[in-house]
Structures are given as C-alpha cells and as structure tokens.
Amino acid sequence: MTNNFFTSIIQFVILGVKEMKWTLKEIQEHRGEPVYFTETINRETALMDRDKEILAVSDIKATGFLLYENRSVLANFQIDYTVTLPSSRSLEPVEVTFNIPIFETYVEDEMNFEGSNDPEDVIIPIEDGWVDLVPAIEDNILLNIPTQILSEEERQSSDMPQGSNWSVVTEDDLEKQRAKEKEEQIDPRFAGLKALLQDEENLD
C-alpha cells in the first residue's frame, strides 16, 4: 500500500473524530481565504442533559465558513435542526424546526483584540489551539427554545385541556378570574354601602 493511502486513512479518521473542531494552524494555512464547511453532528444526549424539557433532537446540519484575520477567526454559519418539546397546553410532543444563523469571533489574545465595539458581539478565546463550534451550537439551540410550544391543531383551537378537578386557562382568563374573586372578597360593609348607593341612584 502507498503512503498516500495511509495518509488518506489518517485524514479521514481525524476528520471523523474532531466533529466541528479545527486547529488554528489549519485555518491559518488558508491565508485569509474562507474555510467552507458542511457538517452534520448529533448532540441530542448533551442537549437533553442540559435541558430536561427536551424530548428529542434531530441531527444538526451546520453550513458556513471560518475566516482568519487580525489574529482572530470569524465563524459565520447556520444550523438547521428539529427539536421535540412538550406542548405548553397538553404536554403532547411537538416537533419544532429551526434555522439559526450564528456569528462568533474566536481570538488568540482576548486582552489585545481590536475588533468590533458592539457589546452584543460574541468574543471567545481560542483554547489549546482549537476552534470548537460545538459549544456555540449547543448554546444557541438552548437560547432559541420558545417559551410557548403549541401543535398546529392547538394553534387553530381555543379549547383547553381539563380533567375532573383541574383545567388549563389562558393568562387573560386567569386575570379575569382573579379580579372576580377579589371583588367577591370585598368587605360586606362596603358591599352594603355599594348596594345603598345603587338604591339611591335608582330612586333618582
């Protein structure tokens, strides 16, 4: 077997193991040209460990590029995936599909980095010579989980689930119910005065 054959096998193994990680050196070797990538990874177990509400996560497709300039690496990519979450109304599983753009900057020297002054820009120090996109992917998935999850049928219906001793109500209905209960708890003396005033108005 030739040396090229063994080299190809080694490169294949390395690429399979690194999973969304690049060494700073290999990015620098592109001499200012973008390093384009399309990768598919599975982070279901890690995400479910971090958020117990998650029922399932599909494979995550990441597409974009890395660019080395000014002693930093710009990561510009998009992730596409589906998360299964419990319905906020019925707790039934609901699949939600996402397409999220991610922009982050990885720097060699965070203290001396001269980049954007925008406080919303994410600046991440490069550790041990590696640019690892997995933490950014996981964090963005968790940050983009919506607070209200409804299936398509639930969006089309105003019916709320209920049982023998319980029911689900909307926030508006809850506020109306609280106002009614508060009115019913008014001091009886004030209630009597209110009734007297109403009688006088009726006489007028």
Side-chain angles (χ1 to χ4, degrees):
M1 295 185 182
T2 65
N3 289 335
N4 288 338
F5 176 81
F6 284 114
T7 301
S8 298
I9 292 178
I10 292 171
Q11 288 177 340
F12 175 81
V13 171
I14 291 174
L15 289 172
V17 170
K18 75 178 186 182
E19 194 175 80
M20 299 302 295
K21 290 176 67 174
W22 291 261
T23 65
L24 179 61
K25 182 178 179 181
E26 65 182 305
I27 299 172
Q28 290 173 326
E29 286 174 351
H30 283 74
R31 302 183 183 280
E33 294 295 323
V35 180
Y36 292 98
F37 62 85
T38 297
E39 302 278 348
T40 300
I41 62 172
N42 187 297
R43 302 300 300 171
E44 182 176 67
T45 300
L47 289 164
M48 291 175 68
D49 285 343
R50 293 180 64 181
D51 188 335
K52 303 302 181 183
E53 291 291 313
I54 295 175
L55 303 177
V57 184
S58 71
D59 286 349
I60 304 158
K61 182 180 179 181
T63 306
F65 65 86
L66 304 171
L67 178 65
Y68 181 82
E69 59 180 9
N70 299 328
R71 296 179 58 82
S72 65
V73 176
L74 169 66
N76 184 334
F77 62 105
Q78 175 177 300
I79 54 176
D80 301 276
Y81 60 95
T82 299
V83 178
T84 304
L85 299 159
S87 163
S88 306
R89 185 177 297 177
S90 65
L91 299 182
E92 291 296 319
V94 178
E95 290 188 349
V96 187
T97 299
F98 296 87
N99 312 96
I100 299 176
I102 299 177
F103 306 95
E104 296 193 323
T105 302
Y106 296 79
V107 299
E108 295 183 71
D109 185 354
E110 188 176 10
M111 297 297 295
N112 296 317
F113 174 67
E114 295 181 1
S116 170
N117 293 322
D118 189 338
E120 294 187 1
D121 285 350
V122 181
I123 307 299
I124 302 171
I126 296 174
E127 297 181 359
D128 301 322
W130 286 92
V131 174
D132 185 359
L133 301 186
V134 171
I137 290 172
E138 288 188 7
D139 290 346
N140 275 275
I141 289 175
L142 295 176
L143 287 171
N144 281 278
I145 289 179
T147 55
Q148 185 180 62
I149 311 295
L150 296 174
S151 66
E152 190 58 37
E153 293 78 9
E154 289 169 336
R155 292 180 188 277
Q156 303 298 326
S157 172
S158 59
D159 295 338
M160 294 291 188
Q162 59 183 19
S164 56
N165 296 312
W166 62 272
S167 64
V168 177
V169 298
T170 64
E171 289 187 13
D172 288 341
D173 289 340
L174 183 59
E175 287 299 322
K176 291 177 182 177
Q177 181 179 333
R178 286 174 175 169
K180 182 179 179 181
E181 291 174 353
K182 186 176 181 180
E183 185 176 344
E184 290 174 350
Q185 293 173 359
I186 293 177
D187 190 315
R189 293 171 296 176
F190 289 107
L193 179 59
K194 181 179 180 181
L196 179 61
L197 291 173
Q198 288 176 342
D199 289 341
E200 288 181 357
E201 289 177 359
N202 292 335
L203 290 175
D204 294 340

